[in-house]
Amino acid sequence: MALQHFYSRVPAKVSMFNRADGFDTFACSDLLNEETVTANLSCVYNAKPGKDEVSLIREEKIPPVYFHFEGKDGSFIQSCMSFLKLDYTGERTSYLVHSLIMDKQEENTVLYSPDNDILNPDLFVHNLDGFDITSFESTADDKYPTLDYKAKKSSGTAKFVEEYDQDMIKRLIYATLSIACGKGKSVYISLCNDISQCSQKTLEFMNTFMQIFPYHIRTKLPFVTYTSDFQRYPDFKVKGILDSFSDIPTSKGIVLHFNQKISLGLLDELVMGEKFIVDFFYETLCNDQLRREFLCYVQSVYEKMPELSKTTMKNLRELVLLFCQCSGLYNEKLVLPNDDSVHEFVCVYDKYRFALSEEFRANAMVCLKRFPLAHAQIPSKTFSKITKMYPTETVASKKIIMASMLDLIHTDAMRAKLFNFLKANYAEEPDITKHLISENLCRVYYGGFLRPQILEFFGEIFAQEHDENKDMIFEKILLTIRTDAIRTQILEFIDKYYDTLSSEQKNKLFLTFAEVAVDGSQLSEEFALLMNKHIENDENSRQNFSELFCNAIEKEQKRKEHPMLNLICSGRYPYLYGILCQKVFGDWQTRAIFEKFVAAIYKNGISNGINNAVKILSSVEGLSDEAVNRILDLTLAQLETEKSRLKLPQLVGVEDSVLTLGRDFYGTEKIITAIYPLVVNKICDALFIENGLDVLNKYTENHPEIINEDLYIPIKNYYLTEKCLKDKKIDEFFKVAFSYTDNKVLDAVYKLLKKNRTDVSSYDDVEPVFAIESLQIIFSDNFDFLGAYDAIKSDVSAIALSKSDEDDDLTVSKKTIDIMLRVLNCLIGLTPEDKKEEIALKIKYFSSVVNEFKTTNKKNAEKWISDKLKSEYRSFDSDLLSVFSSSDKSSSSSWISKIFKK
């Protein structure tokens, strides 16, 4: 209900506040006191008519003037000023101001309806006939009844558009919006030059024009339907004037003469700067559906975002932009013509989205569909914004966003970014969306894009997926298992989820294995390892797999090559091998695959093959005698074929495997007998392999007769040299060593001596040290005699110092030379005839050693060496000595030649 207030010239007895003859409130509804009236209504009733209007009032030419405004306390007020030819005295002109102060209900009736006029003139009192203010009994009435506000149905905007110029209306739209934003000047509307019609036409104009504005803006557009003085009613922003009123400074306001189509005080560029919203509001005048939907939309947003009550051009533009895109009433390309406009829209949407209806939010995201249609990537800034918003979007909005993302991921635009988007949001999606994501990712994966990333993602979600999704994912994974780049990743996936697979999925897996195994590839090997691991523990699937597996092996026999058979017989897949063994040596004993199988187990080495053959002979039940003999024959044939490549440990190991069958098995002796000559031929190998002698000794325990073989003599000599070395019998050591005819055996002795070098702990122990190097002189062209001397000297020094601090450099040098002379003596005396010339050429390097000795010991060197030769080394071969002495012609070493010639 609206509170009512009446103000006019009255006698003192009905004057409510002044208590004197004159203008004052004389009637009002309860709750209105002087302070409230003064604060909210004085802007209307204090604006008295001018002197030039008194005569017009007496002639009753000025019709009622209407006011629409918001009071200081925020109340919504409408007033009507009616001009009275005579006041209560009958002598003077007067006016009556009737105001309606509405409560929220009335305010909603007026402001929030798209169908009602803003102001209904029929509700106002225009004269004092209903008030007997001159009666002796009359008093001021402060209990005047409230009014049930009855809104008036609007006549619509169609006629309005036809009647008034489009450009002028657009200018008015801009001007009034500027006012609503708190920045515009007052606007003066001139619709006619007839004072009797001016107020009414302005009221009709404003009632229609105000229909296009959102409800919260209507209170920000206070208007008065007529004024003849631009300084009057300063609080009112829209004022009706006559055409002839031309005294308004443009600095004070904008004047719009609709009849003459003249605009004053408004720059064209300002209007054009806001063309987007000006054109939109004008369109609402022409389209009633558009107007209604826009008003409802803005009101809904305003209720959820009360901060919009502070109207700005910016938020008006944003509201209009949102509506144009989200209402579905506009062609999107016109609203959002390019990528920049899309980004701007998305930013605006993010600001208002929680205030929008679900339908509007869904429509907003339709703009993303343009990118997959154009196979173009979503701009980074826009995509980033969408990514942040997505988790808090509505279900309908998410569907549209997700559909766009899934469409776009099938293009070359931005697969990696889109995949990350899908991955980040997957967990929170409903099942139906998860299915769509998985389905589309399967297509992308199968198409060859982002395979490692998608496969990793599938590895994370597979356990939680529904059966339909699992089937779809697993099928695509199996179809791409031959892709080398993701082979390992796929096998890891299968390994991880094998136990969760359905029987149907396992059947597909088994069939895929059967297809892959025949390739004989790296994948075949790795896949076989995986199946070998899981089938052994999968009782439910074991029988089914075995049948599929054996059928595949049987089918492979029709091919020229048999990679699957060779693969399984390689020894790396014991369980799969066991399945095949039972089949081959059971139902298939009489088939050609029997020989192929036995041949296949030898392809990865005779040792491995015989071990497998032994296991077959010892563990497979139901083998016929014929089958056993065939296995033995193939084994013996394989031994003969491979004998040149077999190593001693392999042969001994083969015998050990055969012996597991027991001596009673008639095939044991046949194989052992075949192995013996092969071992004899490899006896010397024991000297060159790690633990070789231990292997040979083990074999000798079962075959003591082998020590009588000629090829065993080097082994005996080796043990003898080892004993000589241990007993420090150097001369005997050399005699034995030079009895070897096989250079490889000599190398073995050399290694033995090299090993013992670390055990030097006394002067005598140094002899074998140099003996090692001396043996190499015979066969090495690059022997560094001087280097050997330095090494021996270093060892001798260390030994000498460890024994006595009195040994000096001379003592050490003498000991070193003594050792070298002793070794030379052994070498010269024991060198075979065919090696003497070679030795002679080597011995010449000894001169450099002796020269060094003489240089550091001038006085004693010659005599000491000479005495040594005469007393201890008289057996030097004369031919060798002559070669030695003649090889040294330099003056610095001539004394050496003389010594040896003597």
Side-chain angles (χ1 to χ4, degrees):
M1 304 294 284
L3 302 175
Q4 299 193 72
H5 176 267
F6 293 90
Y7 180 92
S8 187
R9 187 191 299 275
V10 293
K13 62 178 181 175
V14 294
S15 174
M16 187 173 295
F17 305 126
N18 297 330
R19 304 295 183 183
D21 293 343
F23 284 96
D24 194 10
T25 300
F26 63 90
C28 66
S29 300
D30 197 6
L31 303 179
L32 291 179
N33 52 39
E34 183 176 9
E35 182 180 358
T36 302
V37 169
T38 302
N40 293 290
L41 301 179
S42 60
C43 61
V44 175
Y45 61 66
N46 278 345
K48 299 176 174 60
K51 293 181 180 179
D52 55 341
E53 293 176 313
V54 173
S55 60
L56 294 174
I57 294 173
R58 289 187 181 276
E59 296 173 8
E60 297 182 332
K61 289 184 177 181
I62 303 179
V65 175
Y66 299 96
F67 302 83
H68 162 90
F69 62 102
E70 188 176 50
K72 299 294 184 181
D73 60 1
S75 57
F76 180 51
I77 303 171
Q78 291 183 346
S79 299
C80 173
M81 179 180 287
S82 300
F83 298 96
L84 305 177
K85 179 180 178 180
L86 297 173
D87 68 356
Y88 71 95
T89 64
E91 293 296 323
R92 289 174 292 188
T93 60
S94 184
Y95 59 88
L96 168 67
V97 178
H98 178 193
S99 297
L100 301 177
I101 300 96
M102 302 178 194
D103 61 17
K104 282 298 177 183
Q105 181 178 350
E106 271 73 30
E107 183 178 338
N108 293 343
T109 301
V110 177
L111 294 180
Y112 296 172
S113 170
D115 299 317
N116 297 330
D117 284 343
I118 296 299
L119 190 148
N120 183 2
D122 297 338
L123 300 178
F124 293 95
V125 174
H126 300 293
N127 54 59
L128 297 173
D129 293 349
F131 303 94
D132 190 6
I133 61 174
T134 58
S135 170
F136 184 79
E137 296 157 350
S138 294
T139 58
D141 186 358
D142 59 359
K143 304 294 183 184
Y144 198 84
T146 57
L147 177 69
D148 183 11
Y149 192 98
K150 302 293 184 181
K152 184 178 180 181
K153 189 76 172 179
S154 173
S155 60
T157 60
K159 185 178 179 181
F160 181 88
V161 174
E162 295 175 1
E163 184 174 355
Y164 297 105
D165 179 72
Q166 175 178 328
D167 181 65
M168 294 296 291
I169 294 177
K170 287 183 177 181
R171 288 173 176 274
L172 178 60
I173 290 172
Y174 172 81
T176 49
L177 288 177
S178 297
I179 292 169
C181 295
K183 294 184 178 181
K185 298 182 288 185
S186 295
V187 178
Y188 297 87
I189 303 172
S190 168
L191 302 173
C192 66
N193 205 33
D194 184 348
I195 194 172
S196 64
Q197 299 181 22
C198 179
S199 180
Q200 184 62 33
K201 286 186 71 70
T202 302
L203 176 61
E204 293 172 357
F205 183 97
M206 292 304 295
N207 267 336
T208 303
F209 180 69
M210 293 280 279
Q211 295 296 311
I212 67 174
F213 293 118
Y215 310 131
H216 71 284
I217 291 180
R218 294 179 181 182
T219 58
K220 299 178 184 298
L221 296 176
F223 68 81
V224 54
T225 57
Y226 169 75
T227 183
S228 60
D229 184 350
F230 74 86
Q231 294 181 337
R232 194 179 299 170
Y233 311 125
D235 295 327
F236 291 84
K237 296 299 182 180
V238 182
K239 308 172 187 180
I241 60 172
L242 295 174
D243 289 346
S244 57
F245 188 14
S246 59
D247 296 334
I248 304 171
T250 54
S251 62
K252 297 295 185 180
I254 298 168
V255 182
L256 298 173
H257 292 285
F258 276 82
N259 286 335
Q260 292 86 4
K261 300 178 183 178
I262 295 174
S263 170
L264 302 174
L266 181 59
L267 298 175
D268 292 345
E269 52 265 34
L270 293 177
V271 181
M272 290 303 297
E274 298 295 343
K275 185 176 187 305
F276 174 65
I277 56 174
V278 168
D279 286 351
F280 172 80
F281 277 105
Y282 181 81
E283 189 177 356
T284 62
L285 279 171
C286 307
N287 185 332
D288 194 55
Q289 179 190 359
L290 178 67
R291 179 183 68 85
R292 290 172 180 275
E293 292 197 18
F294 177 68
L295 294 178
C296 291
Y297 147 78
V298 174
Q299 182 58 26
S300 174
V301 172
Y302 175 72
E303 288 174 355
K304 296 172 183 175
M305 297 182 69
E307 62 268 25
L308 291 178
S309 60
K310 185 178 181 181
T311 307
T312 64
M313 279 292 189
K314 180 176 181 294
N315 63 40
L316 282 175
R317 282 194 300 269
E318 292 172 346
L319 285 168
V320 171
L321 175 63
L322 279 172
F323 177 79
C324 291
Q325 171 61 22
C326 302
S327 65
L329 299 175
Y330 284 84
N331 183 316
E332 184 184 291
K333 275 294 183 181
L334 296 177
V335 180
L336 307 176
N338 51 48
D339 288 353
D340 288 340
S341 62
V342 172
H343 176 67
E344 179 186 355
F345 168 73
V346 171
C347 291
V348 171
Y349 170 76
D350 185 32
K351 177 180 177 181
Y352 293 91
R353 59 193 175 113
F354 295 111
L356 301 178
S357 67
E358 288 196 17
E359 179 185 0
F360 268 54
R361 293 183 71 172
N363 287 343
M365 293 296 100
V366 171
C367 66
L368 297 179
K369 292 183 177 181
R370 66 174 62 196
F371 297 107
L373 288 174
H375 286 200
Q377 69 173 350
I378 302 172
S380 296
K381 293 189 295 184
T382 305
F383 182 75
S384 177
K385 198 74 174 175
I386 294 294
T387 300
K388 291 178 181 178
M389 292 190 308
Y390 183 81
T392 52
E393 277 299 280
T394 64
V395 173
S397 181
K398 279 186 173 182
K399 284 182 179 179
I400 294 174
I401 295 173
M402 184 60 72
S404 299
M405 301 299 184
L406 293 177
D407 285 345
L408 192 56
I409 203 172
H410 299 293
T411 71
D412 294 327
M414 49 189 302
R415 283 193 181 93
K417 284 187 176 181
L418 292 170
F419 170 70
N420 289 331
F421 172 87
L422 299 176
K423 183 178 178 181
N425 293 289
Y426 188 84
E428 303 302 322
E429 295 296 330
D431 289 343
I432 188 171
T433 304
K434 287 182 177 179
H435 178 75
L436 286 173
I437 293 173
S438 297
E439 183 179 34
N440 281 273
L441 287 181
C442 280
R443 286 175 53 196
V444 174
Y445 170 84
Y446 195 53
F449 302 102
L450 301 176
R451 280 183 170 175
Q453 298 93 321
I454 293 176
L455 188 53
E456 181 183 1
F457 175 63
F458 284 159
E460 295 171 359
I461 66 169
F462 189 77
Q464 294 78 39
E465 290 300 287
H466 289 292
D467 291 342
E468 185 179 359
N469 284 9
K470 284 185 176 180
D471 288 341
M472 178 174 60
I473 292 170
F474 194 66
E475 180 179 340
K476 290 297 186 291
I477 288 176
L478 290 180
L479 288 172
T480 57
I481 199 169
R482 285 185 173 87
T483 305
D484 287 341
I486 55 173
R487 179 185 70 241
T488 301
Q489 206 174 344
I490 289 177
L491 293 175
E492 289 174 352
F493 178 94
I494 296 171
D495 184 32
K496 178 180 179 181
Y497 289 112
Y498 180 88
D499 294 336
T500 68
L501 299 178
S502 66
S503 58
E504 183 178 349
Q505 289 165 351
K506 287 183 179 179
N507 283 339
K508 289 181 179 179
L509 177 64
F510 301 156
L511 289 170
T512 302
F513 170 66
E515 293 172 359
V516 168
V518 299
D519 297 341
S521 61
Q522 180 70 25
L523 170 62
S524 305
E525 297 177 13
E526 295 176 5
F527 206 164
L529 282 174
L530 183 65
M531 298 310 300
N532 186 81
K533 171 184 176 181
H534 287 288
I535 288 299
E536 183 175 5
N537 302 314
D538 188 359
E539 295 182 6
N540 296 329
S541 302
R542 194 179 299 159
Q543 181 63 34
N544 190 29
F545 173 80
S546 298
E547 292 178 4
L548 289 171
F549 173 54
C550 291
N551 288 341
I553 294 286
E554 187 176 27
K555 187 177 180 181
E556 187 189 44
Q557 296 308 300
K558 299 177 182 178
R559 299 173 53 178
K560 185 176 180 179
E561 303 293 334
H562 308 112
M564 193 189 321
L565 178 63
N566 295 331
L567 180 71
I568 301 305
C569 292
S570 65
R572 298 177 62 200
Y573 320 100
Y575 192 79
L576 301 184
Y577 173 81
I579 293 174
L580 191 54
C581 271
Q582 293 298 328
K583 195 69 175 176
V584 170
F585 300 108
D587 298 342
W588 292 351
Q589 285 189 42
T590 59
R591 297 192 185 184
I593 194 175
F594 186 97
E595 279 77 12
K596 294 176 183 177
F597 180 87
V598 177
I601 66 176
Y602 286 103
K603 286 191 175 181
N604 289 286
I606 184 68
S607 180
N608 180 63
I610 289 181
N611 283 332
N612 284 328
V614 169
K615 290 177 182 177
I616 292 168
L617 292 170
S618 62
S619 62
V620 176
E621 298 179 359
L623 278 176
S624 65
D625 292 342
E626 181 185 358
V628 171
N629 286 326
R630 286 161 68 192
I631 293 172
L632 288 173
D633 291 343
L634 288 167
T635 299
L636 294 173
Q638 195 69 29
L639 273 172
E640 181 64 25
T641 301
E642 298 288 330
K643 63 182 180 182
S644 63
R645 290 193 291 270
L646 290 172
K647 305 297 182 184
L648 181 64
Q650 290 177 291
L651 291 167
V652 176
V654 166
E655 179 171 291
D656 289 343
S657 296
V658 174
L659 286 173
T660 59
L661 289 172
R663 290 283 185 178
D664 296 336
F665 179 64
Y666 76 93
T668 303
E669 289 304 322
K670 292 176 72 173
I671 298 175
I672 290 175
T673 300
I675 289 173
Y676 181 81
L678 303 181
V679 173
V680 170
N681 194 45
K682 302 286 183 179
I683 285 176
C684 287
D685 288 359
L687 296 171
F688 313 114
I689 59 178
E690 188 175 357
N691 301 321
L693 290 172
D694 293 337
V695 172
L696 183 59
N697 289 335
K698 180 180 179 182
Y699 185 80
T700 304
E701 291 175 5
N702 292 325
H703 301 276
E705 69 276 12
I706 199 172
I707 64 175
N708 298 320
E709 300 285 348
D710 290 342
L711 290 173
Y712 196 82
I713 293 175
I715 302 299
K716 293 179 179 179
N717 288 341
Y718 181 86
Y719 283 129
L720 182 57
T721 58
E722 190 176 41
K723 186 175 186 306
C724 290
L725 185 62
K726 184 176 181 181
D727 295 340
K728 301 177 184 176
K729 296 178 179 179
I730 300 303
D731 292 343
E732 288 186 38
F733 162 76
F734 277 105
K735 288 177 184 178
V736 177
F738 279 95
S739 70
Y740 299 160
T741 58
D742 189 336
N743 290 344
K744 291 185 178 179
V745 177
L746 190 58
D747 287 342
V749 175
Y750 171 74
K751 290 179 181 177
L752 173 67
L753 296 170
K754 192 87 170 178
K755 178 181 178 183
N756 280 275
R757 180 172 184 169
T758 58
D759 298 328
V760 174
S761 58
S762 67
Y763 172 74
D764 292 335
D765 287 339
V766 179
E767 295 175 23
V769 173
F770 189 67
I772 297 170
E773 309 297 348
S774 301
L775 286 173
Q776 294 303 294
I777 294 173
I778 302 173
F779 306 105
S780 174
D781 292 333
N782 301 316
F783 176 67
D784 182 5
F785 206 107
L786 187 58
Y789 167 76
D790 290 338
I792 293 167
K793 185 175 179 181
S794 175
D795 286 341
V796 172
S797 297
I799 294 165
L801 290 172
S802 67
K803 291 186 173 183
S804 171
D805 294 335
E806 297 175 0
D807 287 340
D808 54 13
D809 290 340
L810 177 60
T811 303
V812 172
S813 295
K814 285 180 177 180
K815 289 179 180 179
T816 305
I817 294 294
D818 189 26
I819 293 169
M820 296 179 75
L821 287 172
R822 290 175 64 187
V823 174
L824 281 173
N825 188 44
C826 292
L827 284 173
I828 293 169
L830 299 173
T831 300
E833 287 296 325
D834 62 344
K835 293 289 184 178
K836 283 188 176 182
E837 184 177 353
E838 187 177 347
I839 284 295
L841 294 174
K842 304 290 184 178
I843 290 175
K844 66 182 180 180
Y845 294 111
F846 182 67
S847 63
S848 60
V849 177
V850 181
N851 273 332
E852 183 192 357
F853 179 57
K854 179 182 182 292
T855 301
T856 57
N857 304 279
K858 294 180 180 180
K859 295 180 179 180
N860 301 319
E862 184 175 347
K863 184 177 183 303
W864 185 82
I865 291 178
S866 179
D867 290 344
K868 275 283 183 185
L869 291 173
K870 289 177 181 179
S871 62
E872 299 182 32
Y873 302 110
R874 304 182 65 84
S875 60
F876 274 7
D877 186 283
S878 59
D879 293 334
L880 289 174
L881 289 175
S882 64
V883 173
F884 175 78
S885 61
S886 64
S887 67
D888 190 358
K889 304 298 183 181
S890 65
S891 59
S892 63
S893 57
S894 59
W895 66 279
I896 300 175
S897 301
K898 293 176 183 178
I899 291 173
F900 278 92
K901 285 180 180 179
K902 294 176 183 178

